[in-house]
Amino acid sequence: MSTAASDSTNLGDGSTPMILAQQVCKNFGSLQVLKGISLEVTRGEVLCMIGPSGSGKSTFLRCINHLEQVNAGRLYVDGDLIGYREKGDRIYEMSPRAAARQRRDIGMVFQHFNLFPHRTALDNIVEAPTQVKKIRKADAITRAKELLDRVGLADKADSYPSQLSGGQQQRVAIARALAMDPKLMLFDEPTSALDPELVGEVLGVMRELAASGMTMIVVTHEMGFAREVADQLVFMDAGVVVESGNPREVLANPQHDRTKAFLSRIL
Ligand SMILES: Nc1ncnc2c1ncn2[C@@H]1O[C@H](COP(=O)(O)OP(=O)(O)OP(=O)(O)O)[C@@H](O)[C@H]1O
Ligand SMILES: [Mg+2]
């Protein structure tokens, strides 16, 4: 990752936000999906993002790890500009290799767990650290076992995804992301594909992760989680941040009609 001053907002004094989005815009053809998203997540903070289907939540997360190119604006993670290099007032896209290097520090967990079906839980977790980070297999296995224990699945190391419940698969997916020692974790509706009785166990793992100091952005409609765990709640609609703030305040006393209408539909 470049440390050139022009590519970095790192102040070197601990006050650099973990995530800084400045007027991020994203179009798909003529469709404007993100229309200038600005937000900031401090180290150790949890931001929950809510909003109607199609409002751009997943697209925004995908821009943070440069799975999507932005059309305008800037995204910084831990002070480093994501996906681009700045030269003067112009920006140039990074090589795929450099972007992949940045992406290693960003854990992502999706609605569908995307585990390798032909590998055990343990092997799913060991894969990236050994292949991408070149960590010794024995060390990666030790760490994977610790992570399985952390997500409550110490006894499932040798199970294949098809032998695990959805909630268990999602906990393996979280352990897999953690195995890369990410600086931050992005969750895109991690519980919305789960049977209701399995939601709690996944939220429990995420709660523990938040308590351990992990910086997280969580797209979710689990308002109990947002209320208790999040430091910020962001309501997005049609590609803009309509309202954000302390989750308890936003949920109890939404200021905008669009927020009120959305919350009345889901609460
Ligand atoms: N690769 C793509 N090509 C074209 N349009 C896309 C692409 N990805 C997303 N879109 C469009 O961008 C808009 C925002 O999609 P996005 O998935 O970010 O919404 P979302 O807020 O995550 O919705 P949901 O709650 O349903 O997951 C939608 O209109 C979607 O159809
Ligand atoms: Mg989505």
Side-chain angles (χ1 to χ4, degrees), residues 28-29 31 33-34 51-60 62 68 111 188-189 219 221 236:
F28 289 111
L31 183 68
V33 173
L34 301 178
S53 183
S55 56
K57 306 178 298 296
S58 297
T59 302
F60 179 68
R62 289 170 57 78
E68 301 287 356
Q111 180 175 356
D188 194 355
E189 303 205 41
V219 174
H221 293 148
M236 253 176 83

Side-chain angles (χ1 to χ4, degrees), residues 76-87:
Y76 297 89
V77 168
D78 202 12
D80 289 312
L81 181 64
I82 289 297
Y84 301 87
R85 295 191 189 289
E86 262 174 324
K87 263 195 193 147

Side-chain angles (χ1 to χ4, degrees), residues 115-124 127 131 157-161:
L115 296 175
F116 299 117
H118 54 287
R119 300 223 170 120
T120 64
L122 188 83
D123 287 343
N124 264 282
E127 166 82 13
Q131 297 299 312
D158 298 325
S159 301
Y160 287 88

Side-chain angles (χ1 to χ4, degrees), residues 43-92:
R43 215 166 289 270
E45 253 191 358
V46 177
L47 181 150
C48 279
M49 187 174 266
I50 58 174
S53 183
S55 56
K57 306 178 298 296
S58 297
T59 302
F60 179 68
L61 291 191
R62 289 170 57 78
C63 288
I64 295 178
N65 58 11
H66 202 55
L67 293 171
E68 301 287 356
Q69 301 170 315
V70 302
N71 294 92
R74 304 269 198 277
L75 270 163
Y76 297 89
V77 168
D78 202 12
D80 289 312
L81 181 64
I82 289 297
Y84 301 87
R85 295 191 189 289
E86 262 174 324
K87 263 195 193 147
D89 52 6
R90 299 202 59 177
I91 60 171
Y92 301 87

Side-chain angles (χ1 to χ4, degrees), residues 134-147:
K134 309 294 179 202
I135 288 176
R136 277 182 44 217
K137 182 101 188 246
D139 294 338
I141 288 174
T142 304
R143 172 96 167 108
K145 286 182 175 165
E146 285 167 14
L147 288 168

